[in-house]
Amino acid sequence: MREPDSVTLFITCLIDGIYPEVGTAVVSIFEQLGIMVDYPTDQTCCGQPAFNAGYRREARAAARRFIEIFEHAPVIVAPSGSCVHMVRHHYPQLFQDDSRWLARARQVAAKTFELTEYLVDILGITDLGASYNGRITYHDSCHLRRGLGIAGQPRALLAAIKGATFIEMTEAESCCGFGGVFSVKYPEISTAMVEKKVNHIIDSGAHVVTGCDISCLMNIAGRLSRLGSPVRCLHIAQLLAGREERT
């Protein structure tokens, strides 16, 4: 497939508000590939928090705004399996009784891709020339793996990082216990789940745990910090941008 001249980025709420360095890394990746980046500055939330909490009217309002902003973009890329799953699978559900908006939702859903999915499946790229001197393990986020079926793409990209040793942790595909509202409604269950996840990460011997959803990594980083663990949490874009040094 011929490389596109540009991509339009959807940057998630957590990246925009708490982890802007992840957004910067995504831009750096595309700039290194010679692909221009378009970033609509009036973009907001995709509506997933409202949808997951059962507020369908509010989720539809957010979805309409997303569609209006992005429907003219040739391709939309987001560094989040969770948000892409929302656009690709839940937007059509939200408008199943509204034929006009349903058609627009399906058009936007068809051209929205998660970052690693776009790099590997669409651009056909696995080696971005990144390097990292250390051991890396990977956490499969639920919406990415089970919702979008993306598991091999991030692993292929990580395996190509020069100087890095990739270690598969035990039960990499198990949930970290975050789940947005789930962690608020069921804190005891959420805590037990992240404890199990963190134990697997520490047992792997990795210096860094990475993934494609910053929400999961934020949850994991909180537990690692409370344990005083030196294991770092980095979004996969930060490693692929090739700027990270081992600390």
Side-chain angles (χ1 to χ4, degrees):
M1 178 179 177
R2 187 179 71 84
E3 291 187 1
D5 296 327
S6 66
V7 297
T8 300
L9 292 186
F10 171 61
I11 296 299
T12 70
C13 303
L14 287 177
I15 292 175
D16 181 49
I18 305 176
Y19 300 97
E21 63 273 21
V22 176
T24 302
V26 174
V27 172
S28 176
I29 289 170
F30 283 114
E31 286 181 342
Q32 291 175 41
L33 292 173
I35 298 173
M36 293 178 60
V37 173
D38 180 33
Y39 177 79
T41 56
D42 52 350
Q43 61 182 273
T44 56
C45 178
C46 67
Q48 184 186 182
F51 181 87
N52 290 344
Y55 294 99
R56 295 295 189 268
R57 184 182 62 182
E58 289 78 4
R60 276 192 289 272
R64 289 191 192 97
R65 180 175 176 81
F66 184 101
I67 291 168
E68 289 172 341
I69 292 171
F70 286 99
E71 64 183 338
H72 299 297
V75 62
I76 305 156
V77 177
S80 166
S82 181
C83 295
V84 170
H85 180 264
M86 176 69 193
V87 174
R88 189 177 295 175
H89 296 300
H90 293 316
Y91 277 14
Q93 292 178 1
L94 285 172
F95 300 113
Q96 57 185 337
D97 298 324
D98 186 330
S99 59
R100 187 170 64 91
W101 277 99
L102 177 60
R104 296 170 72 178
R106 284 174 171 167
Q107 289 176 356
V108 168
K111 57 183 177 182
T112 302
F113 299 91
E114 185 274 332
L115 174 64
T116 65
E117 173 188 37
Y118 189 71
L119 291 171
V120 176
D121 294 349
I122 304 302
L123 298 184
I125 296 171
T126 53
D127 189 349
L128 290 163
S131 62
Y132 177 79
N133 179 28
R135 298 186 293 273
I136 300 171
T137 194
Y138 174 78
H139 163 67
D140 289 285
S141 50
C142 296
H143 283 125
L144 186 79
R145 180 163 184 142
R146 287 184 276 278
L148 300 176
I150 296 171
Q153 296 91 331
R155 287 175 168 82
L157 290 161
L158 292 171
I161 295 177
K162 296 174 180 61
T165 301
F166 179 74
I167 304 169
E168 196 75 66
M169 76 169 86
T170 302
E171 297 182 14
E173 74 285 2
S174 66
C175 180
C176 71
F178 180 58
V181 177
F182 174 83
S183 63
V184 178
K185 294 180 68 174
Y186 307 103
E188 295 84 3
I189 299 174
S190 175
T191 300
M193 293 171 76
V194 75
E195 282 184 352
K196 187 175 182 181
K197 172 62 66 174
V198 165
N199 286 337
H200 289 322
I201 292 168
I202 294 173
D203 290 345
S204 76
H207 300 113
V208 163
V209 57
T210 190
C212 298
D213 280 85
I214 200 66
S215 53
C216 299
L217 296 172
M218 181 179 69
N219 186 43
I220 291 168
R223 188 60 190 169
L224 285 168
S225 176
R226 290 180 181 86
L227 294 174
S229 170
V231 178
R232 299 175 68 198
C233 289
L234 294 174
H235 191 279
I236 193 168
Q238 293 172 275
L239 287 167
L240 297 179
R243 294 179 176 177
E244 294 301 323
E245 299 290 337
R246 181 179 160 189
T247 58

